[in-house]
Amino acid sequence: MKRLGVVAVLVVAVAALYLARAVVVPIALAMLLAFMVHPIVIRLTKVGLGRGLSVAVVVTMLFVTLGAACWVLMIEFASLSTQIPVYRDNLIRKINEVRRLGQGGALEKAQTAVTDVANEWQKDSAAGRAKKAPTPVVVTSEPTGLWQLPSVVESLGGAGTVIVLVIFMLIEREDLRNRVIRLGGYGRLITTTRALDEASQRISRYLLMQSIINTSFGTGIALGLLLLGVPYPLLWGFLAGVLRFIPYVGVGLAALVLITFALAAFPTWLTPLLVAGLVVALELACSLALEPLVYGQSAGVSQVALLCSVTFWAWLWGPIGLLLATPLTVCLVVLAKHVPGLEFVGILMSDEPAIAPAAAYYQRLLAEDPQ
């Protein structure tokens, strides 16, 4: 019955996170940004700057950098939109070349068979639709001009909320921590303190190191594309760095976007192949050299659990959930480690061994598995 109560609480919490995502997502973003820059604030404070001045310097640098990056990217994206017809024609030409290579072969036969089946299916569907009454056509128009003002104000309000929350979370960090400890009760003072410290250290280190690695990856992509003569290298480098925050699939998405654009922007096949080689080389350098160098420990979440977490948060909050999946999962694992009743979450999602080697050996003997 106790576990059923815990499951019911989790279901209610998930429903609340989904229904209140317009409020919860800015708070989650502000918390993660505060976790990411807090080590820098601590170092500036130790140097001699006061807490308020250190927070002001770090937050100003953070959002000025983000604002300048967004401004440059908007300019490049506006320029890109004017060249889309040219890139579209180039891409269509390459698709036709691939089709000509497959004429007379197995690819053409399979395509012909699929086309014939589709035509027969459309005949049956058309006959069925002919017996029905025609569907009335409703003409709608997309909101333009001043009608788009509420969405713009909403976006600016969300950004302003995140900035203000980051500032006050950094200034009032100790007070917020003490209030969480008070909520946990004085009887759980040690447990709550350990949980907060562990979660803070894991998340801060993960976010800071991941930001350094992904910024290096995006910078390398931008420089490589610039040397290869690919248009808009800053836009694609920024996009590659952001997509790499998505575990496991982010690099693949970045490679797909970059290769597709290279196919559309260049008449030959050489540059797309060089772009693919650039992405592979930089990813190998980051994963095999840079990550082992900067990471002293893992995030504490198993790979299968992290993949499931990415799927869950993407369903719950969309693209923002993809970026927040790993930090939020780390928080959940740390919480499950210290809160009674949530031990099963830690067992399922942690990267620690599930059972001791002696117990695993005995279990394999019982399963008659000699290997």
Side-chain angles (χ1 to χ4, degrees):
M1 294 296 295
K2 186 176 180 180
R3 290 192 174 182
L4 288 178
V6 172
V7 173
V9 170
L10 290 177
V11 172
V12 173
V14 170
L17 289 174
Y18 180 77
L19 295 175
R21 57 188 180 275
V23 177
V24 179
V25 169
I27 297 176
L29 282 173
M31 289 179 61
L32 294 179
L33 286 175
F35 274 123
M36 183 177 68
V37 301
H38 180 256
I40 305 175
V41 173
I42 293 297
R43 292 193 177 186
L44 291 179
T45 305
K46 290 180 178 179
V47 168
L49 297 179
R51 184 58 176 256
L53 185 57
S54 300
V55 171
V57 170
V58 171
V59 172
T60 301
M61 291 177 59
L62 174 65
F63 287 103
V64 165
T65 303
L66 291 177
C70 291
W71 180 261
V72 173
L73 294 176
M74 287 176 62
I75 294 175
E76 288 211 342
F77 188 77
S79 177
L80 171 64
S81 62
T82 61
Q83 300 294 326
I84 287 179
V86 178
Y87 297 146
R88 179 193 58 196
D89 296 339
N90 225 351
L91 193 59
I92 292 174
R93 191 180 305 112
K94 282 193 171 60
I95 293 175
N96 292 331
E97 291 179 4
V98 174
R99 285 180 176 175
R100 284 196 295 269
L101 291 176
Q103 286 181 354
L107 181 62
E108 184 184 12
K109 294 178 181 178
Q111 184 179 1
T112 303
V114 171
T115 303
D116 293 341
V117 172
N119 291 335
E120 290 297 325
W121 180 265
Q122 289 176 358
K123 289 180 181 178
D124 295 338
S125 301
R129 287 195 300 268
K131 298 178 181 179
K132 298 180 181 179
T135 304
V137 178
V138 180
V139 179
T140 60
S141 60
E142 295 293 331
T144 57
L146 292 177
W147 294 104
Q148 293 180 345
L149 186 61
S151 60
V152 175
V153 172
E154 183 180 357
S155 301
L156 294 176
T161 301
V162 171
I163 295 173
V164 173
L165 284 174
V166 169
I167 294 173
F168 280 93
M169 284 180 180
L170 289 172
I171 294 176
E172 304 291 337
R173 183 176 182 274
E174 285 73 17
D175 182 69
L176 293 173
R177 179 199 62 196
N178 294 337
R179 293 183 184 278
V180 173
I181 292 174
R182 178 67 183 274
L183 287 175
Y186 292 120
R188 297 179 179 176
L189 184 63
I190 298 176
T191 301
T192 307
T193 302
R194 288 177 178 175
L196 290 175
D197 289 343
E198 183 178 353
S200 176
Q201 291 175 3
R202 283 193 186 184
I203 295 173
S204 295
R205 182 171 181 80
Y206 169 81
L207 288 174
L208 187 58
M209 295 300 103
Q210 194 71 7
S211 298
I212 293 173
I213 294 172
N214 294 346
T215 301
S216 302
F217 179 78
T219 304
I221 290 291
L223 292 176
L225 295 180
L226 182 63
L227 294 175
L228 292 175
V230 178
Y232 316 109
L234 293 178
L235 176 63
W236 305 122
F238 180 83
L239 181 63
V242 171
L243 286 175
R244 202 179 184 277
F245 276 97
I246 303 175
Y248 303 111
V249 299
V251 176
L253 292 175
L256 180 62
V257 172
L258 294 177
I259 293 172
T260 303
F261 178 76
L263 287 171
F266 292 89
T268 63
W269 294 86
L270 178 60
T271 303
L273 293 176
L274 293 176
V275 170
L278 174 66
V279 175
V280 172
L282 288 176
E283 175 58 22
L284 289 177
C286 288
S287 58
L288 299 180
L290 196 56
E291 287 185 355
L293 181 64
V294 299
Y295 278 129
Q297 58 184 4
S298 65
V301 183
S302 69
Q303 295 182 357
V304 175
L306 190 55
L307 286 172
C308 296
S309 173
V310 168
T311 304
F312 170 77
W313 290 108
W315 165 78
L316 194 66
W317 287 347
I320 297 296
L322 289 174
L323 298 176
L324 303 181
T326 301
L328 292 175
T329 306
V330 171
C331 289
L332 183 59
V333 170
V334 173
L335 185 68
K337 182 178 179 180
H338 296 281
V339 176
L342 293 179
E343 295 89 352
F344 70 97
V345 177
I347 293 174
L348 292 175
M349 304 186 71
S350 175
D351 62 351
E352 297 177 355
I355 56 179
Y361 179 73
Y362 181 61
Q363 192 273 336
R364 288 294 87 197
L365 288 176
L366 294 177
E368 298 181 356
D369 183 5
Q371 295 180 358

